[in-house]
Amino acid sequence: MKQPEDNKTLDMYGDVKDIVAKWSPTPASKRYCFYIALSDGTEVQWTGLSIAQAKDMNAATRKNTPANVVRYGWEVIP
């Protein structure tokens, strides 16, 4: 004997898209790098930063840029 189709169980959990989104693995968060290049050719990098840390370091360097800094910035680590 064939059982009737269950059309109530899925409804009790809400929208299927919400269920899939909740249990799908989330992608790894992006990491960032902040770098400073000096006039003598030295380049210093800080890696593994969050976006907030990279932007804070960029803003602090922009506000108080030492005389020997040629360039600086932040970027996404691939």
Side-chain angles (χ1 to χ4, degrees):
M1 181 171 172
K2 185 176 178 184
Q3 293 182 340
E5 183 179 345
D6 181 10
N7 59 7
K8 307 237 182 311
T9 306
L10 192 57
D11 291 340
M12 93 178 170
Y13 292 111
D15 191 11
V16 176
K17 292 177 187 172
D18 294 336
I19 296 169
V20 172
K22 182 178 179 181
W23 294 106
S24 298
T26 55
S29 59
K30 293 181 181 175
R31 300 312 287 170
Y32 299 84
C33 149
F34 178 77
Y35 62 87
I36 293 179
L38 304 178
S39 58
D40 66 357
T42 306
E43 187 167 314
V44 181
Q45 290 187 8
W46 290 266
T47 58
L49 304 173
S50 67
I51 185 71
Q53 291 171 322
K55 285 183 175 182
D56 286 347
M57 292 176 81
N58 193 60
T61 305
R62 183 181 329 111
K63 187 175 179 180
N64 300 310
T65 308
N68 64 340
V69 171
V70 178
R71 63 185 175 88
Y72 62 92
W74 60 271
E75 59 190 28
V76 178
I77 298 173

